[in-house]
Amino acid sequence: MVAAELRPIGIDLLYPTPSTQQLQEAFKGRSLRDLPSPAAVIDRAILEVNCYQMLENCQALDISLRPHTKTHKLQVGETTKDVKFVVSTIAEIEGLRETLLNKKLQGKQINILYGLPLPPSACTRLASLAKELGPQTISVLIDHVDQLNESERFLQLSGQPLQVFLKIDTGYHRAGLDSNSQGFSNLLTYVSSLQKSGSVNLVGLYSHAGHSYGSNSNNEALEFLLTELEELKKAAHKAITILNEAFFPKLTLSVGATPTASSIKALLEDVPSSRSDSVSKLQRLVSRINQDFTLELHAGVYPILDMQQLATQAMPLTTSDVALTILTEVNSLYPHRSPPEALIAAGSLALGREPCKSYPGFGIVSDWGFPPSVTTQGKRKEMRSGWQVGRISQEHGILTRDPEAFELEDGWPLDLEVGQKVRIWPNHACIAGAMFGFYLVVDSRLEGREDEVIDVWVRWRGW
């Protein structure tokens, strides 16, 4: 019975994906203008810069990075001794298997955190992965005592204790426990008993500042990070007091979200006086935390970015920093409407239905594929075409005027043609990307070949 349970139904059976080799044979070397759409396109040049910037941010604070899996090999770099990820699905861990085994052969320490509070149904697949990858390679989030009912089973299946992060709510109110609650104290007491029995190993505490998407400046994002650090430090000290066990290792405190993680770039720049207090407080706080705990930063969408991240203004960004675009085609024109509109074959199933606080639409059309100048009275800004996705339904997207594209309100012509390919920056890259089975990769550094597909990356789909 146990042997059968160690062969869980996983990604290979449930979620078949196209062959990478077949996709590369079909797409590599071809121009985006000649390809079927909608399609998801990633500019590797932009993505690499974003990944390296986050690694520099962490180096500036002398803390480690736990990326939320997006573009895994670029996110961890080549020189880091630890390879740590947080994932949203078990399918992502299964997709990472080969990469992780190779990193182990290189002498790297690996650890993957399943980023949702543990459901019982996940135990078998996670235990199978832990058995294959080795001790202390798979961690889980816990915010309820009943989630630990699977710890003994995990130990039996994998031969190792369940590695646990306690999920702390520091203001987002999506998941996690308030460190002042009785539930947090009860959970710690139960974890202590399971650690003594050998079925659980407490690794650390984890929080996610998803509410930092409401930031409107670098300083606001830094303040969100400061609050998260203070709250997690307080929770960790309370945990030590309740546990009061000499055998507990140095706890890891894992904090972050893309706006707060990006705001750290202020440490690498000449800081204006309005931000200097927050930057100094951050440096002092991180230094104090590092004395008692191991601090790590997690973030997800930063390699790709999107219109939501630009709206937070956590760091100076423009649309030229967004690596993902959705390639689509103009199906029809409506010049009789006032103002004129157009139809594209990309609605909620290609772009998602995520709003953005900075404008009332679902994506911004870039100036790719447009003439060098589409207006004689206005100056184009931020590589925007003058169109945005103003309305969407399932497969339909309605292009409407983008009032932020030009410095002047006049001189906005109907400059589209039926059959014209356009590229759109989505509001939420994670959701838009999930609509597609693979990404077409281009590289804007290749002069004269900027639109050529140089690679195809297959997504890990499913759960």
Side-chain angles (χ1 to χ4, degrees):
M1 183 63 180
V2 172
E5 289 191 82
L6 281 174
R7 293 194 297 272
I9 298 173
I11 188 172
D12 296 335
L13 292 177
L14 293 179
Y15 312 117
T17 55
S19 160
T20 300
Q21 181 179 349
Q22 290 176 324
L23 288 169
Q24 290 175 338
E25 290 174 355
F27 289 106
K28 280 185 71 172
R30 298 184 63 181
S31 170
L32 294 178
R33 300 173 194 274
D34 302 327
L35 297 180
S37 62
V41 180
I42 283 183
D43 188 334
R44 185 183 176 110
I46 299 173
L47 184 142
E48 285 186 2
V49 170
N50 293 342
C51 286
Y52 295 149
Q53 179 62 67
M54 188 59 71
L55 289 168
E56 287 185 14
N57 289 354
C58 290
Q59 290 169 4
L61 280 179
D62 192 26
I63 58 177
S64 62
L65 175 65
R66 184 186 289 272
H68 199 139
T69 303
K70 295 291 185 289
T71 53
H72 55 280
K73 293 181 181 178
L74 288 171
Q75 285 173 291
V76 298
E78 295 297 327
T79 60
T80 53
K81 64 178 182 179
D82 296 331
V83 175
K84 300 186 291 186
F85 293 109
V86 55
V87 301
S88 296
T89 69
I90 301 177
E92 290 173 336
I93 310 178
E94 292 165 339
L96 279 167
R97 184 192 290 114
E98 183 178 345
T99 294
L100 297 173
L101 290 172
N102 287 335
K103 293 296 184 184
K104 281 195 70 175
L105 290 175
Q106 297 170 17
K108 307 279 190 180
Q109 298 293 318
I110 65 173
N111 181 263
I112 309 301
L113 173 61
Y114 179 55
L116 278 77
L118 180 66
S121 63
C123 178
T124 300
R125 287 168 72 188
L126 289 172
S128 177
L129 288 161
K131 186 176 181 66
E132 180 179 9
L133 295 172
Q136 302 180 358
T137 55
I138 301 294
S139 300
V140 300
L141 288 180
I142 299 293
D143 64 1
H144 193 283
V145 291
D146 289 349
Q147 293 155 357
L148 291 168
N149 292 341
E150 296 297 310
S151 60
E152 286 290 344
R153 184 161 172 261
F154 184 92
L155 176 62
Q156 293 173 2
L157 293 175
S158 67
Q160 56 191 273
L162 185 65
Q163 307 293 308
V164 167
F165 277 85
L166 304 186
K167 181 66 182 288
I168 308 301
D169 182 3
T170 58
Y172 190 25
H173 305 319
R174 183 175 70 178
L177 289 168
D178 185 329
S179 63
N180 294 316
S181 68
Q182 186 61 46
F184 179 61
S185 299
N186 293 343
L187 182 58
L188 282 168
T189 301
Y190 192 36
V191 166
S192 178
S193 67
L194 293 177
Q195 178 130 344
K196 291 175 182 176
S197 72
S199 64
V200 161
N201 180 35
L202 180 62
V203 178
L205 283 70
Y206 180 101
S207 68
H208 177 65
H211 49 314
S212 65
Y213 277 48
S215 302
N216 292 298
S217 68
N218 174 262
N219 198 58
E220 282 189 27
L222 282 171
E223 288 296 327
F224 274 112
L225 180 57
L226 285 166
T227 299
E228 188 181 19
L229 286 166
E230 289 281 11
E231 289 295 316
L232 213 59
K233 179 170 72 77
K234 181 177 69 175
H237 282 298
K238 183 173 182 179
I240 292 172
T241 300
I242 292 176
L243 296 169
N244 193 26
E245 297 288 349
F247 59 81
F248 276 96
K250 192 174 184 180
L251 294 177
T252 295
L253 306 190
S254 187
V255 300
T258 288
T260 54
S262 298
S263 71
I264 297 173
K265 190 170 186 277
L267 299 175
L268 307 176
E269 301 174 335
D270 292 330
V271 181
S273 57
S274 61
R275 287 186 288 162
S276 59
D277 287 346
S278 294
V279 171
S280 296
K281 283 194 291 185
L282 177 62
Q283 290 171 320
R284 291 194 301 270
L285 180 55
V286 168
S287 178
R288 291 199 303 271
I289 291 175
N290 277 333
Q291 293 175 11
D292 300 320
F293 308 102
T294 299
L295 184 59
E296 68 178 31
L297 193 71
H298 57 256
V301 74
Y302 70 90
I304 300 171
L305 297 176
D306 51 32
M307 296 308 297
Q308 284 187 346
Q309 293 303 319
L310 268 61
T312 69
Q313 301 183 59
M315 60 182 288
L317 295 170
T318 69
T319 50
S320 62
D321 298 298
V322 181
L324 175 70
T325 52
I326 303 303
L327 177 74
T328 188
E329 188 171 359
V330 177
N331 291 44
S332 191
L333 303 172
Y334 308 108
H336 58 281
R337 296 178 184 172
S338 182
E341 296 180 339
L343 175 69
I344 58 171
S348 59
L349 291 184
L351 297 169
R353 193 176 282 275
E354 288 282 289
C356 182
K357 66 180 182 179
S358 63
Y359 76 106
F362 299 92
I364 298 294
V365 181
S366 78
D367 65 357
W368 178 87
F370 287 80
S373 177
V374 296
T375 176
T376 57
Q377 300 183 48
K379 181 181 178 182
R380 192 198 312 273
K381 296 194 300 185
E382 281 196 2
M383 302 162 58
R384 295 159 82 128
S385 67
W387 295 92
Q388 66 182 26
V389 184
R391 304 191 304 279
I392 55 174
S393 52
Q394 188 166 314
E395 291 91 5
H396 301 70
I398 303 298
L399 299 187
T400 60
R401 184 173 184 175
D402 172 10
E404 299 298 321
F406 301 107
E407 292 179 350
L408 301 178
E409 291 294 321
D410 298 327
W412 180 73
L414 183 64
D415 53 345
L416 294 171
E417 299 177 358
V418 171
Q420 178 179 345
K421 294 284 177 59
V422 297
R423 290 168 69 179
I424 298 166
W425 292 297
N427 286 351
H428 191 162
C430 307
I431 291 179
M435 307 295 176
F436 299 88
F438 54 87
Y439 295 119
L440 304 178
V441 182
V442 298
D443 193 326
S444 55
R445 295 168 294 196
L446 300 177
E447 188 173 352
R449 299 170 50 207
E450 295 89 348
D451 298 337
E452 179 185 324
V453 177
I454 62 167
D455 204 353
V456 182
W457 294 346
V458 178
R459 283 183 55 94
W460 301 316
R461 308 199 74 178
W463 305 97

